[in-house]
Amino acid sequence: GAVVRNAEGKLMKAWDSAEIKTNEPLVEEAAAIRIGMQMAREAKWRDVELESDCKEVVDMINKENGKEVRVDIILEDIANMRCLFDKCTFSFVHKIGNKCAHSLAKFAVKLTRSVEWEECFPMWLHESAQNDYKGRDSDVSNLVISS
């Protein structure tokens, strides 16, 4: 799942996929990050910060050296897409600060098809996004990924 907030913390978009189910957490997380980048590009955002609660994938992206063969192709796509943005950062955030995306990922387990919300969100998602954002200091759009 992916949650998109603008620099003011306002929930802009949320997406959940029933299709990325490999039972391989690293592959699922990297694929979700790649899809988040595609969404940001389609929205014509220039500055983005992608957050994930999967430290291993964030470290692989930032060090640009994967250890997992099944993730390497996705990491290569992410590295190639990075240059499409003026600013594109990847950071690790603990699940406690990523409750909205984590809740969305748990919701995805029950899905039979992908869902996307824009402008109108379920109340539980909106409230969770606001709670996650409180206290953050960022001047860029923020994509929070969890699988």
Side-chain angles (χ1 to χ4, degrees):
V3 176
V4 182
R5 295 183 297 240
N6 66 12
E8 291 79 41
K10 180 182 176 196
L11 193 58
M12 303 296 290
K13 194 173 199 176
W15 158 85
D16 221 342
S17 176
E19 296 147 14
I20 307 175
K21 293 181 181 172
T22 65
N23 290 326
E24 295 182 56
L26 297 180
V27 172
E28 290 179 10
E29 192 74 15
I33 289 170
R34 178 176 57 190
I35 291 170
M37 292 178 77
Q38 290 167 337
M39 287 171 44
R41 182 67 181 153
E42 288 169 11
K44 297 183 175 27
W45 295 336
R46 300 301 306 154
D47 298 338
V48 296
E49 177 180 359
L50 292 101
E51 296 180 345
S52 170
D53 60 5
C54 184
K55 185 170 180 1
E56 190 171 353
V57 169
V58 171
D59 287 346
M60 283 191 269
I61 292 169
N62 287 328
K63 294 176 185 169
E64 296 180 2
N65 61 349
K67 300 177 234 169
E68 302 288 332
V69 175
R70 295 185 52 86
V71 180
D72 284 346
I73 293 169
I74 299 170
L75 294 176
E76 187 176 323
D77 287 347
I78 291 169
N80 290 334
M81 291 173 67
R82 205 174 201 167
C83 69
L84 299 174
F85 301 94
D86 293 339
K87 181 178 180 181
C88 181
T89 59
F90 300 87
S91 57
F92 167 72
V93 66
H94 290 278
K95 283 185 182 174
I96 196 158
N98 194 16
K99 289 180 182 176
C100 184
H102 186 67
S103 296
L104 198 56
K106 287 181 5 184
F107 179 75
V109 173
K110 304 171 200 161
L111 293 176
T112 57
R113 63 179 179 84
S114 296
V115 294
E116 189 172 310
W117 295 281
E118 193 168 0
E119 296 180 27
C120 189
F121 304 93
M123 188 55 78
W124 62 268
L125 187 63
H126 178 74
E127 289 174 355
S128 186
Q130 288 301 313
N131 288 337
D132 281 352
Y133 189 76
K134 288 179 183 172
R136 291 184 183 228
D137 185 25
S138 181
D139 60 351
V140 298
S141 296
N142 178 278
L143 287 93
V144 185
I145 313 293
S146 185
S147 63

